Amino acid sequence: MGGLMDIDIEQFDNVLNTNVRAVFTLSKLSVPYLINTQGNIVNVSSVAGLRSFPGALSYGVSKAALDQFTKCLSLDLAKENVRVNSVNPGVVITEIHKRGGGMSEQEYANYLERSKDTHAMGRVGNVFEVAETIAFLASSKASFITGALVPVDGGKHAMCPR
């Protein structure tokens, strides 16, 4: 977390390596198999790829890059009938904020409570809602969907900041 003046180059590189370079590498290695099997890719991005949030520069940049990667790769692989899409979750109840963000139980509870106001549906999401969307995009039911960035965020992407 942090803005330009709060983070150093190493932190920036670590976030980009995790959220973009790793996906690039895995995609590059798996594409020959995916072409052969007519498989597909579903990346996990974030609403932070679609909207800007203060104090989240590295994360937002990395997720926006992942979204652009998803769209570009979808065009490159369309002729091979390999679909590439992304889900863009909003706040979802997981352990990531406590483990990666260093939040205490009480800080996390407060964050989840505040997040209800930043999601149009008035609540945060759960992992099953994201997983169901991934399963749909990976299924034959989504056979004509490629290059899509699907917000699974209770309308957070559509809201104006307060």
Side-chain angles (χ1 to χ4, degrees), residues 22-42:
V23 175
F24 173 89
T25 303
L26 289 170
S27 298
K28 186 160 184 67
L29 293 172
S30 66
V31 160
Y33 175 77
L34 294 173
I35 291 171
N36 187 47
T37 61
Q38 296 295 274
N40 65 84
I41 296 170
V42 181

Side-chain angles (χ1 to χ4, degrees), residues 68-144:
Q68 188 66 11
F69 176 79
T70 297
K71 292 188 286 186
C72 289
L73 189 58
S74 75
L75 297 178
D76 290 346
L77 296 179
K79 64 186 173 296
E80 303 291 347
N81 202 34
V82 173
R83 299 177 297 105
V84 184
N85 295 293
S86 177
V87 293
N88 294 65
V91 176
V92 174
I93 299 171
T94 66
E95 295 295 312
I96 195 167
H97 292 95
K98 290 186 279 186
R99 281 190 278 163
M103 288 185 181
S104 69
E105 289 288 336
Q106 187 57 53
E107 289 170 327
Y108 186 56
N110 293 342
Y111 172 71
L112 292 177
E113 190 61 34
R114 284 190 315 273
S115 293
K116 291 178 182 179
D117 291 333
T118 64
H119 293 69
M121 294 182 75
R123 67 176 179 86
V124 297
N126 66 63
V127 294
F128 300 106
E129 292 166 316
V130 177
E132 288 290 326
T133 306
I134 292 169
F136 167 73
L137 289 171
S139 77
S140 61
K141 294 177 182 175
S143 63
F144 201 54

Side-chain angles (χ1 to χ4, degrees), residues 16-26:
L16 266 69
N17 284 341
T18 299
N19 291 337
V20 184
R21 186 182 174 107
V23 175
F24 173 89
T25 303
L26 289 170

